[in-house]
Amino acid sequence: MWVVSAQQRFARAVEGSIHQYLDARERALATISPDAEVLVRHVREMVSGGKRVRSAFVLWGWHAVTAARPGATHAAGTERDPAWDDVVGVATAMELFHAAALVHDDIIDASDTRRGRPAMHRALEAMHREGEWVGDAASWGTSAAILVGDLLLNWADDRMVEACRGSAHGERVHDAYRRMREEVTFGQYLDVLEEAAWIRQDPDALLDRAHTVAIFKSAKYSVEAPLALGALLAGGDDAQLDALAGYGLPLGVAFQMRDDLLGVFGDPAVTGKPAGDDLREGKRTVLIEIARQRLAPGIRTMLDELLGDRELDERQVAILQDAIARSEAPARLESLIDRAVGEALESLHEGELSRAAMLELERLADTVAKRDR
């Protein structure tokens, strides 16, 4: 019961921190132009809600170390801990960074929706149309959304610096954050590279390349990095950091593999994204590469020809879904997810971590690996 309530209190604290920070940025930008109010309102709508997965892992990475210390009091790892505000700040920075990544990702993928609402570039495009402004609404929406994503990146960096400033371990935290930013950005580049260049790659290397994309585009920054940031803020030792990394990386891979399945077979009413969105976007995921290896040559050629066609209709999406399902690639991916989760859970016992954090990380592993959105 304490674990659940602690996470709920932390989530509320992060939510409040995000909006408090946006209040301050809106006031600062309003001194330049009253147009700041509308822009920040769109940002607020986008950052509200969500799974807050990264925030949760920041919390439990911190708690895993803080509450494991000999003689730790009941205040360790809770809001009564003097470092609580710094942990909330690190989690806030992660959520702002994640929002920036989503804004840019939706532009790259030409996605229309995010969490059941218009993607940022579509919302801004609609603002252009409703205002009956001059020029092309879609082009303006994309340009404006790129800038919104850049603002969110700046704000994430600013919030991270602020959180690290008063911490004895702030320099190590900020170094890890800097590496994470670089890795996820390069991982995103590898993702778009694979969509275009796969046809010139060694066919035997395509599955390994898809794994690399999964690790650096999503796995490390979704689970491993947030855990590390929390643990570093607490001054975790090498054994603790290694145990959390051994948990975080395979679980992050499982997280992305589940995302791959949802991107092809997810229920739009639950995911907030159109059915088969990854098929229209041409994502060369682990799921797709496993399917390609198992499909007959003629069906594989059909998959290659249709994958990435933005105009795929529901019938064509259903044909591709059926081909992928018949290849038994989804079942193979489920097996890989189970294996990754097992590997993650084993690693938790390799460092001196708090019992409460270990129990919660076990629960989160199940939640992340079996989610439906």
Side-chain angles (χ1 to χ4, degrees), residues 16-33:
S17 174
I18 290 171
H19 289 287
Q20 184 179 29
Y21 183 80
L22 291 178
D23 287 344
R25 298 331 308 146
E26 182 179 345
R27 287 193 297 270
L29 293 176
T31 65
I32 302 172
S33 168

Side-chain angles (χ1 to χ4, degrees), residues 6-7 9-11 13-14 59 62 75 77-90 233:
Q7 188 159 311
R9 291 195 300 274
F10 188 72
V14 172
L59 170 65
W62 176 65
T78 74
E79 63 266 47
R80 297 190 301 278
D81 192 302
W84 176 264
D85 288 344
D86 292 337
V87 185
V88 170
V90 168
L233 193 68

Side-chain angles (χ1 to χ4, degrees), residues 110-182:
S111 297
D112 293 329
T113 59
R114 170 66 61 180
R115 296 171 180 165
R117 295 194 293 257
M120 180 63 73
H121 61 290
R122 296 304 185 204
L124 294 172
E125 175 185 340
M127 187 169 75
H128 184 290
R129 294 187 193 283
E130 291 163 6
E132 298 181 344
W133 300 343
V134 298
D136 181 73
S139 177
W140 186 88
T142 297
S143 298
I146 290 171
L147 297 172
V148 169
D150 290 346
L151 265 178
L152 281 160
L153 286 173
N154 288 334
W155 292 342
D157 291 352
D158 181 59
R159 193 67 184 89
M160 183 63 74
V161 168
E162 184 182 338
C164 292
R165 186 176 292 130
S167 170
H169 309 288
E171 186 173 347
R172 295 179 72 198
V173 175
H174 198 270
D175 283 347
Y177 172 70
R178 179 192 54 76
R179 287 194 301 275
M180 180 207 74
R181 287 184 314 174
E182 179 179 74

Side-chain angles (χ1 to χ4, degrees), residues 70-323:
T73 67
H74 290 300
T78 74
E79 63 266 47
R80 297 190 301 278
D81 192 302
W84 176 264
D85 288 344
D86 292 337
V87 185
V88 170
V90 168
T92 299
M94 281 299 300
E95 293 295 346
L96 292 171
F97 179 88
H98 181 51
L102 294 181
V103 170
H104 286 159
D105 197 44
D106 286 342
I107 293 168
I108 291 168
D109 294 338
S111 297
D112 293 329
T113 59
R114 170 66 61 180
R115 296 171 180 165
R117 295 194 293 257
M120 180 63 73
H121 61 290
R122 296 304 185 204
L124 294 172
E125 175 185 340
M127 187 169 75
H128 184 290
R129 294 187 193 283
E130 291 163 6
E132 298 181 344
W133 300 343
V134 298
D136 181 73
S139 177
W140 186 88
T142 297
S143 298
I146 290 171
L147 297 172
V148 169
D150 290 346
L151 265 178
L152 281 160
L153 286 173
N154 288 334
W155 292 342
D157 291 352
D158 181 59
R159 193 67 184 89
M160 183 63 74
V161 168
E162 184 182 338
C164 292
R165 186 176 292 130
S167 170
H169 309 288
E171 186 173 347
R172 295 179 72 198
V173 175
H174 198 270
D175 283 347
Y177 172 70
R178 179 192 54 76
R179 287 194 301 275
M180 180 207 74
R181 287 184 314 174
E182 179 179 74
E183 288 175 348
V184 72
T185 304
F186 186 58
Q188 182 70 48
Y189 168 78
L190 293 178
D191 187 33
V192 298
L193 175 67
E194 211 60 20
E195 292 174 22
W198 70 270
I199 196 168
R200 301 301 179 207
Q201 304 298 335
D202 177 359
D204 293 335
L206 291 176
L207 183 56
D208 285 342
R209 291 174 68 89
H211 271 290
T212 299
V213 170
I215 288 169
F216 288 96
K217 178 191 173 184
S218 178
K220 292 177 76 69
Y221 114 95
S222 295
V223 183
E224 185 190 35
L227 275 171
L229 292 172
L232 286 167
L233 193 68
D237 61 33
D238 289 345
Q240 290 171 321
L241 293 168
D242 287 346
L244 290 171
Y247 164 92
L249 186 57
L251 184 60
V253 171
F255 179 93
Q256 181 56 45
M257 288 180 178
R258 178 62 59 197
D259 210 47
D260 295 347
L261 284 165
L262 293 173
V264 173
F265 298 105
D267 181 352
V270 178
T271 64
K273 304 274 283 184
D277 222 28
D278 278 7
L279 301 175
R280 294 187 180 90
E281 293 167 8
K283 295 296 183 186
R284 292 280 162 176
T285 63
V286 172
L287 173 66
I288 293 299
E289 294 308 332
I290 292 174
R292 290 184 76 257
Q293 290 181 355
R294 292 166 171 255
L295 290 171
I299 300 177
R300 182 167 60 243
T301 298
M302 177 200 68
L303 173 65
D304 288 339
E305 289 177 349
L306 291 180
L307 196 67
D309 182 350
R310 301 282 181 179
E311 304 304 318
L312 286 180
D313 59 29
E314 292 183 5
R315 181 185 65 84
Q316 290 170 312
V317 167
I319 289 172
L320 290 178
Q321 288 172 327
D322 182 66

